[in-house]
């Protein structure tokens, strides 16, 4: 919908040019289709390159969040089964639940971090009062939660709840969470150069605006319709590149981070048999 004002504007301009050309026989400024064919090919290549770059960022973001789902499930499974069953006391059960809830909080905090949102409401049900206060006071909430997860693993090892040989396996999962965080931040903090995007916008607008001057002799009264179709294609391709450039936003075609993090929450709470898990 954001492109329709521009599409209708160039179509209206094409109607005026067509009317003047055909009914007043003013042909002093009429062009051939040759320059528009040459410019159109180059413009299509530029748009294709930019959209490929944007889609690469979108797809990498989706793969990173898919890895987050898998790593979260692995951590929850490992904390349930690698903790020594001979120490299956109330303290160990509580440790398992708190650890899994920390993993859930990490997913929510990462989503809010990428969207510049406050995660307090999302994570307050999964952290202790002390840990929550520490997280909210920090400047990097997901990293702080990741540090708390590492601290909890060290506590389990020191209390001999977690065998020394199993500790590296779980620590490797925390490293994977850190790699996912870094990958997402790289995508968010590395936009396509602004000058390149502005140049594409201006060339697309200029091309569509002057297009009727090269078509009116060939297409006659159908020139506005042809301009409408061509401008729709170019403006939409331009808009697609803008929309998927940041896959972590809140636009309809961005990644469904809320649904993914909520799915992690449901899966992990089910593993620890928490009765308060969402539907």
């Amino acid at each position: 919908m954001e492109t329709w004002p521009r599409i209708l504007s160039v179509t209206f301009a094409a109607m005026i040019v067509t009317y003047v050309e055909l009914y007043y026989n003013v042909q002093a400024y009429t062009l051939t289709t040759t320059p528009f064919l040459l410019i159109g090919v180059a413009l299509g290549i530029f748009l294709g390159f930019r959209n490929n770059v944007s889609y690469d960022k979108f797809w990498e973001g989706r793969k990173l969040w898919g890895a987050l789902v898998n790593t979260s499930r692995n951590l929850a499974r490992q904390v349930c089964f690698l903790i020594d069953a001979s120490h299956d006391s109330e303290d160990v059960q509580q440790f398992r639940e708190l650890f899994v809830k920390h993993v859930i909080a990490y997913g929510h905090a990462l989503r809010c971090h990428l969207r510049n949102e406050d995660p307090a409401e999302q994570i307050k049900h999964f952290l202790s009062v002390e840990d929550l206060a520490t997280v909210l006071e920090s400047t990097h909430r997901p990293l702080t939660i990741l540090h708390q997860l590492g601290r909890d693993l060290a506590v389990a090892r020191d209390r001999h709840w977690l065998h020394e040989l199993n500790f590296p396996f779980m620590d490797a999962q925390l490293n994977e969470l850190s790699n996912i965080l870094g990958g997402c931040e790289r995508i968010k903090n590395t936009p396509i150069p602004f000058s390149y995007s502005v140049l594409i916008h201006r060339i697309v607008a200029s091309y569509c605006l002057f297009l009727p001057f090269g078509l009116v002799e060939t297409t006659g009264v159908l020139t506005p319709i042809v301009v409408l179709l061509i401008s729709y294609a170019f403006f939409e391709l331009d808009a697609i590149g803008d929309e998927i450039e940041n896959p972590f936003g809140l636009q309809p075609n961005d990644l469904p981070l809320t649904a993914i993090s909520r799915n992690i929450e449901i899966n992990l709470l089910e593993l620890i048999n928490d009765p308060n898990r969402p539907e």
Side-chain angles (χ1 to χ4, degrees):
M1 294 298 294
E2 296 179 358
T3 60
W4 276 109
R6 287 177 286 173
I7 295 172
L8 294 178
S9 296
V10 297
T11 302
F12 181 73
M15 293 173 63
I16 295 176
V17 171
T18 303
Y19 179 80
V20 172
E21 290 273 359
L22 296 182
Y23 290 94
Y24 289 96
N25 198 26
V26 179
Q27 299 182 352
Y29 301 102
T30 301
L31 302 173
T32 65
T33 58
T34 302
F36 294 96
L37 290 175
L38 297 175
I39 296 174
V41 172
L43 184 57
I45 294 174
F46 278 120
L47 284 173
F49 172 77
R50 179 171 175 271
N51 285 4
N52 284 338
V53 172
S54 296
Y55 185 75
D56 284 344
K57 297 177 66 177
F58 179 89
W59 182 237
E60 184 183 1
R62 183 62 187 90
K63 289 192 293 184
L64 288 170
W65 272 79
L68 176 64
V69 173
N70 295 338
T71 305
S72 300
R73 291 169 177 171
N74 288 337
L75 269 174
R77 174 179 53 82
Q78 289 173 343
V79 79
C80 289
F81 295 106
L82 294 185
I83 298 294
D84 193 347
S86 63
H87 297 92
D88 202 10
S89 62
E90 183 177 347
D91 288 341
V92 173
Q93 288 290 352
Q94 186 178 12
F95 170 82
R96 288 170 175 164
E97 293 178 4
L98 290 176
F99 189 89
V100 169
K101 289 182 177 180
H102 263 87
V103 177
I104 296 172
Y106 178 82
H108 288 303
L110 177 58
R111 182 192 77 241
C112 294
H113 175 69
L114 296 175
R115 290 178 170 176
N116 299 319
E117 297 174 343
D118 186 359
E121 284 296 319
Q122 300 293 328
I123 66 176
K124 67 179 182 181
H125 303 294
F126 305 109
L127 301 177
S128 64
V129 176
E130 296 80 7
D131 285 346
L132 178 62
T134 302
V135 170
L136 296 182
E137 289 174 359
S138 67
T139 56
H140 200 301
R141 277 72 179 269
L143 187 60
T144 303
I145 296 177
L146 196 60
H147 177 76
Q148 293 172 351
L149 285 167
R151 174 205 63 193
D152 293 343
L153 275 187
V155 169
R157 181 193 58 191
D158 295 341
R159 294 182 181 178
H160 304 291
W161 295 344
L162 180 63
H163 196 280
E164 285 283 352
L165 296 178
N166 290 329
F167 179 83
F169 293 104
M170 298 192 66
D171 188 60
Q173 300 300 319
L174 297 187
N175 290 336
E176 182 63 20
L177 290 181
S178 180
N179 292 336
I180 292 170
L181 170 61
C184 290
E185 288 181 328
R186 182 181 68 252
I187 293 173
K188 177 187 176 183
N189 298 327
T190 312
I192 296 176
F194 179 73
S195 57
Y196 186 87
S197 298
V198 170
L199 178 64
I200 290 293
H201 295 333
R202 290 175 178 174
I203 293 177
V204 169
S206 300
Y207 179 85
C208 294
L209 187 62
F210 287 98
L211 188 59
F213 292 98
L215 294 178
V216 66
E217 279 195 354
T218 305
T219 56
V221 294
L222 296 179
T223 298
I225 297 177
V226 176
V227 170
L228 173 66
L229 297 175
I230 295 176
S231 63
Y232 175 81
F234 278 110
F235 280 127
E236 286 296 322
L237 285 172
D238 190 22
I240 288 172
D242 280 339
E243 189 161 348
I244 65 175
E245 179 184 354
N246 177 21
F248 307 129
L250 294 170
Q251 293 181 324
N253 291 320
D254 289 330
L255 291 174
L257 302 189
T258 302
I260 296 174
S261 55
R262 181 55 59 90
N263 189 46
I264 294 174
E265 177 184 344
I266 294 171
N267 293 158
L268 269 57
L269 289 180
E270 186 174 4
L271 288 177
I272 59 175
N273 297 316
D274 191 304
N276 298 320
R277 60 180 180 270
E279 297 186 9

